[in-house]
Amino acid sequence: MCSKPTLGSGVDHPSRNSAQMQTAAMAMACNLAQVVTIQDPRYAVQPFEWLGLSFPNGWHGSVHDRNPMPMLEKGFAWYASAFKDLLDAMSAVDEGNGNSLLDNSLVVWITEFGDAAVHNTKGIPVVLAGKLGGALKTDRFIQFASGVSSTNRLFVTIMNLFGLPDTSFGVGPLATGTLPGII
C-alpha cells in the first residue's frame, strides 16, 4: 500500500540515509519510479562522525592510503548496513503471492574500482540482490577468472534479464556477451 514512509526525526547522516532508503523503496512500490540510483553525496569527504571515526587524511585520502585499515573497515561496514537497509525496506513491501518488492526486483551494488587506492578497475566487486521475479539465481558467490568478466558483460546480462536483446555494451574486447552462470 502506498503511503508516506516512516522516517526518523534525526537530522544526522544515518537518519537521512535511512529516510532515503525508505523513500526509494516506497517510490518503487508505488510505481513512481522503476529505476532508483542511490549515491552518498558526501562519499569523498565522509567523516563518519556517528561512528566516532576521524580519518587523518579524510575518507578519500585514507582509502588511497589504505590507512588506517580498521577505521576504513568500519566505514565500509556502515555502507554495507546502509545497503541492507534498502533491501530490508524492499522486503517489507508485500506484492502478493508471498513475494516482496525485493523478490520482484534486481538491486545492484557496485563500486567504480576493484582497488580504489590506485583507481584500478579490475576485480570490481558487485552484489546482485533480489530475484527479479525468479529470473535471477540467488544465494551464490561467483568469482570470474581474469580476462573473462567485465562490467560491460554484466550490463549486457542485466539488459537480457530485463528482456532486452542487446549483445554488447560499451567498447573494448570484453564489451560483447554475457557473464556465464548469472541467468
Side-chain angles (χ1 to χ4, degrees), residues 164-178:
L164 299 171
D166 300 69
T167 59
S168 66
F169 182 92
V171 296
L174 296 176
T176 302
T178 60

Side-chain angles (χ1 to χ4, degrees), residues 78-101:
W78 183 84
Y79 280 115
S81 73
F83 179 69
K84 183 183 179 303
D85 287 347
L86 175 63
L87 301 182
D88 288 346
M90 293 175 70
S91 288
V93 177
D94 182 2
E95 293 200 324
N97 298 323
N99 291 318
S100 69
L101 175 61

Side-chain angles (χ1 to χ4, degrees), residues 12-14 16 39-50 59 79:
D12 57 279
H13 191 73
R16 285 191 309 265
Q39 181 178 4
D40 186 345
R42 297 190 323 169
Y43 182 80
V45 295
Q46 187 59 265
F48 293 102
E49 66 275 2
W50 63 92
W59 172 254
Y79 280 115

